[in-house]
Each structure stands twice: as structure tokens, then as C-alpha cells.
Amino acid sequence: MTEKPDPRESTRETATDEGYPPLERLLSDDISSDLQTEMYSFDAPWQARSFGLVVASIRQSETFDWDQFQSRLIGAIEEAPDQQDNTRIEQQYYQRWIEAFETLLVDSNILTTEEIDSRANDFVLNERTAEEFVEGKQTSDH
Amino acid sequence: MTHDNPHDHDHAHEHDHSLTHDQVSEFSPDDPEARARALQSLLVEKGLVSTEAVDEAIRAYEQDIGPLNGAKVVVRAWLDDQYRERLLEDGKAAVSEFGFDHGIDDLVFVENTPDVHNVVVCTLCSCYPWSILGLPPTWYKSEAYRARIVREPRTVLAEFGLELPEGIDVRVWDSSSDLRYAVLPQPPTDVEKTDEAELLELVTRDTMVGVDRVVYP
């Protein structure tokens, strides 16, 4: 007979008294706290792209600014379900970045949701690939 | 696996790529990876951003912009009283004297004293003094940190290993407004006699967020 996990054990692992997953694991995973040379980085390339895209676009934009992005980021985080899982914090955070940026671009009449849906679909179906972001390659190459 | 961007060849986290992708359901246009690519593709097409600028922003935040920027600011403030006053008066202007890559944060420095310890949070959106500290660590973005540091700062700081004596007043600064806060830690007592390189090593990311204090050798 296999031993059943103690349900209290898992509760203790995933939530504190206030209902938040505990900080402990996050702190022990954080290797960069004492080292200035150890830079904190991205978990996945798409997260880097999300961050870099927003930073570069705001810097170049004459239409929108950081505050307009930030207010939409706050909205996106408020609307998102509560974090139940400390292992997906990075993913969820940059997902909110992309949602907020989309809202900003649509609100600023720069893009439409249909346009974004359609282009995202092209990438999902491999009709477009990230090759188009590689220097020297054009979108027509695919 | 396709390379997501030209900088990824030597990335350790490339392994995570497929994992993350799997977690978000493989063929959905709601996949944030597809949406990020779509936004970049459309904005490049409209001439509103260049892929070079996106790659450069990523490179800068992965390689150049980190806590050493903040440490340089802090050490200068420790050694130069006039600079310290300028920094506390107008953080953004004083930091801009260093010429770091900037543009996304309006900075306010709050000063630790023998009686006051400051700690920084952003309860609503995990805003962070990026230009002097780089990217925020995962715990900074967690709901546990964001909610609890406001309600029970001493308990949370103790979890970071920082036990503060009763006599010290703990002040929590929420960066959710248009301002980004950073902590100016207390200098070591022999600051004038200490080598600048050694001083720089004392100032870590955590001391500037306020979840740690400068440890004197």
C-alpha cells in the first residue's frame, strides 16, 4: 500500500496563514542577493522579448509613455487570478506585461485586437517564425 | 526548437523555453509567446520600433544594468555630502549624472539612519528601480512579499534574515505611484578610510531594496 501524502503537509507547503505561498523557497532560490555581478535574468526568451519590446517601444514612442503602460499593468495584475503557485511568478508577470502592452496599443489606436489575433495566429501556425527578427532576414523569406 | 531571438544561442534558460511553452497550451494564439512576437512583428512593420532596439534593451538589462549601478550611486553619496543632498533632493537628476541607461523610472532615495530602516515594495505592479538595480528578483514580484511587507514588515524582514532591534522604526515605501523608491543604506563608520572598491562590494541589491543592511567587515 502506498502512503498517501498528508494533506496538511501540502497546505503548509503552499500557503501561509494569510493565504500566500511562502517566501522561503523563493528566497533560497535567489542566488543573486549578495552578488552584484550576478545579474537577475529572464526565465524564457519570450519573457525577455516582452520586457525588451515594451522598454524599447516606450522609449521610441511619441504617442504613449511609461505611466500609461504602468496603469494598464496595474489593471492587468488586478484582473488576473491570485497567484496560487510560486513557480509561475515570472511567467505570469511577463504575461501581464504583454496584456498591458496590448491594451495600451489598442487604446492608443496603434493596433487593433483583430490585427494582433491574426498575427499571433500566424506565429502559432508557423506561417511566421522568429526568424523574421534575426538580422538580415526579411518576413518574405518564410 | 527555433531560436526565439538571436541572443539566445548561449542562454542557459533556453532549456526552459519548451517547458514554458508547454505550460501555456501549445497551439493557442493566447500564448504570450505568440502575442509578444505578434506585437513586435506589427510594431516593426509600422516602423514604431526596431528589432535592434528590442534586442539592445534585452542585452542591456541582461548584461549592463544591475545593482552595481546602484552601488556606485550609494558609495558616491557616502563619500560626497553634497552629492548625498542632491540625491535625496532629486534622485532622478542625481542618478542621471552617472549616465546609466535610463528612461523608465523617476527615482526617490530614502535614507536609512541609526533609528530608521526603510524598505521598498510595489504592491500593485512590482515596479522597481530598474535603472539602478536591473531586473527584479522573483520574490519581489510575489504576492506574499507585496502584501505581507506592508502588513508585517518586521516578520517578513526576519524571514530575509534581518532582525531589527525594537528601537528602529521600519518604514515601508510603496512604489505603486509614479515614483520608484530605493534605499540609501547607512555607511560604515570608517567610510572615509575604506577603499572605494571595498565600499562598492558592501552595497548589494538587497540593501538598496531594504531587505538587508550593509554588513561591515
Side-chain angles (χ1 to χ4, degrees), chain A residues 101-115:
Chain A
F101 193 44
E102 252 189 76
T103 311
L104 177 61
L105 293 169
V106 171
D107 290 350
S108 311
N109 294 319
I110 291 169
L111 299 177
T112 64
T113 306
E114 294 72 29
E115 216 175 351

Side-chain angles (χ1 to χ4, degrees), chain A residues 54-73:
Chain A
V54 170
V55 170
S57 301
I58 290 175
R59 192 169 293 166
Q60 277 177 255
S61 175
E62 287 165 10
T63 320
F64 48 82
D65 58 23
W66 179 258
D67 289 346
Q68 290 169 304
F69 170 72
Q70 195 192 357
S71 65
R72 285 161 182 84
L73 180 60

Side-chain angles (χ1 to χ4, degrees), chain A residues 8-101:
Chain A
R8 283 167 305 172
E9 196 65 29
S10 60
T11 313
R12 204 143 47 86
E13 267 295 299
T14 54
T16 62
D17 292 345
E18 298 85 10
Y20 303 106
L23 275 171
E24 198 176 279
R25 179 72 59 80
L26 295 174
L27 298 184
S28 62
D29 283 351
D30 180 9
I31 50 159
S32 55
S33 61
D34 293 331
L35 301 165
Q36 289 155 345
T37 47
E38 192 72 44
M39 308 269 289
Y40 216 83
S41 197
F42 301 98
D43 270 4
W46 74 265
Q47 296 171 12
R49 181 186 304 291
S50 305
F51 181 86
L53 180 62
V54 170
V55 170
S57 301
I58 290 175
R59 192 169 293 166
Q60 277 177 255
S61 175
E62 287 165 10
T63 320
F64 48 82
D65 58 23
W66 179 258
D67 289 346
Q68 290 169 304
F69 170 72
Q70 195 192 357
S71 65
R72 285 161 182 84
L73 180 60
I74 291 171
I77 290 171
E78 272 171 356
E79 280 171 30
D82 287 348
Q83 279 169 12
Q84 299 299 327
D85 179 0
N86 267 345
T87 64
R88 299 182 70 229
I89 291 174
E90 295 291 327
Q91 175 176 349
Q92 290 169 340
Y93 180 67
Y94 289 107
Q95 207 165 339
R96 301 293 97 79
W97 269 68
I98 277 298
E99 287 165 11
F101 193 44

Side-chain angles (χ1 to χ4, degrees), chain B residues 96-161:
Chain B
S96 74
E97 294 176 30
F98 279 85
F100 302 139
D101 188 299
H102 209 279
I104 54 175
D105 33 352
D106 223 346
L107 272 172
V108 174
F109 269 82
V110 286
E111 187 180 32
N112 282 353
T113 69
D115 306 320
V116 176
H117 180 85
N118 297 287
V119 59
V120 173
V121 65
C122 172
T123 53
L124 294 184
C125 61
S126 307
C127 269
Y128 192 65
W130 284 281
S131 62
I132 56 158
L133 296 185
L135 299 168
T138 306
W139 55 258
Y140 187 83
K141 300 172 224 169
S142 70
E143 285 190 2
Y145 179 75
R146 284 155 47 209
R148 291 181 54 223
I149 192 76
V150 178
R151 290 216 307 262
E152 41 175 6
R154 279 173 188 276
T155 309
V156 174
L157 291 176
E159 289 171 33
F160 277 88

